[in-house]
Amino acid sequence: MEPEGQEKSEARAGRCAIFGRPNVGKSTFLNQVLGQKLVIATARPGTTRSAVLGVYLKEDPPTQIAFVDSPGVARPRTPLHKVLVEQAQQALTDTDVVLWMTEAPKPVRKKGGKASVRTDVHPTDREIVRYLEAVKAPVILAVNKVDRIQDKRLLLPIMENHREVLAEAGVELAGIVPISARKGTQVDTLISVLREHLPEGLLYEDPDFVTDRPERFFVAELVREAVITATKAEVPYGAAVFVEGYDTSGRTVKIHATVVVEKPSHKGIVIGAQGARIKEIGIQARQSIEAFLERKVHLELWVKVVPGWTADPQRVKRYATEAEG
Ligand SMILES: Nc1nc2c(ncn2[C@@H]2O[C@H](COP(=O)(O)OP(=O)(O)OP(=O)(O)O)[C@@H](O)[C@H]2O)c(=O)[nH]1
Ligand SMILES: [Mg+2]
């Protein structure tokens, strides 16, 4: 018999969909809880294009959370947007708990005045709340990027306003946690709150199971991250990456990837004067792939134009969500 007050906590496990508008820090949060960089995260909205599983494990108390990172949701304006929203919606259908993520806004400093922070709900959040209406699972709100706000009292109206907007849509929030995904602040608290809403038991036997995607998916994503970081706004939106060759047999992993862009002018931007930018992208991507694989990598990049692929419903699904090759 266990001594009183020291019973072993029961094991809990389940799925948690991470949902929210673009750029609020969903992917950064997943990497933070996993303690490793699994998914790509950049300063550009629209970085994530497909649902990706990342399994969080803890022994004390025994916990397994199968997080699903999903593309940021905004009003779909193009066939590509539509596919991204579909991916996120799918993640919402089969989940034990939903983590709705938003962000504390950047303080705005008026000339000579004090910095002020908007506490109202972002128009995109007001719009996408409707996706949460039909969800059966409990919804927990995380207000991310609290490191931006010095006066933490401002978090109260932010949290209250979000609670109200969701209540107007007929959904009661099951919890609210302010966090900083980048710094890791309150991430453990959020995990405990999510845990309370998971069923008893365990999901996976294998303690090393982290994701269901193959290595080459993440390799393609790391190339796309380097393209996003090195180019201007319009290029990332129209860029997809295919890994065409992936040879792990030697000491060095040999990778051949194609960057697909939708306009000849974008090809010029990606390549740059005398190939300077593609070289920079190649170096950046190789370094992050080496860190991910923990092996030496030889990376060859090609750039190809597929005119208007983001507007072509036939192509978007394959290019946006299955681009690992
Ligand atoms: N200050 C601050 N910035 C953060 C924090 N978390 C994420 N960011 C930044 O916010 C930006 C977007 O992060 P992502 O993780 O890519 O956001 P996302 O919600 O996955 O974006 P999409 O995939 O486009 O939907 C990046 O520049 C991050 O570094 C945080 O806690 N504090
Ligand atoms: Mg993301």
Side-chain angles (χ1 to χ4, degrees), residues 59-75:
E59 276 180 19
D60 188 21
T63 310
Q64 291 178 337
I65 310 180
F67 282 103
V68 178
D69 185 20
S70 66
V73 172
R75 185 185 295 180

Side-chain angles (χ1 to χ4, degrees), residues 121-140:
V121 176
H122 192 279
T124 306
D125 277 326
R126 286 187 172 274
E127 277 194 34
I128 67 168
V129 148
R130 68 192 162 93
Y131 293 105
L132 297 171
E133 281 173 26
V135 168
K136 302 261 183 329
V139 180
I140 308 287

Side-chain angles (χ1 to χ4, degrees), residues 28-51:
T28 305
F29 169 77
L30 180 60
N31 289 337
Q32 177 65 250
V33 295
L34 296 181
Q36 69 173 93
K37 179 174 167 180
L38 180 72
V39 288
I40 63 168
T42 81
R44 290 267 162 64
T47 295
T48 303
R49 286 206 177 140
S50 51

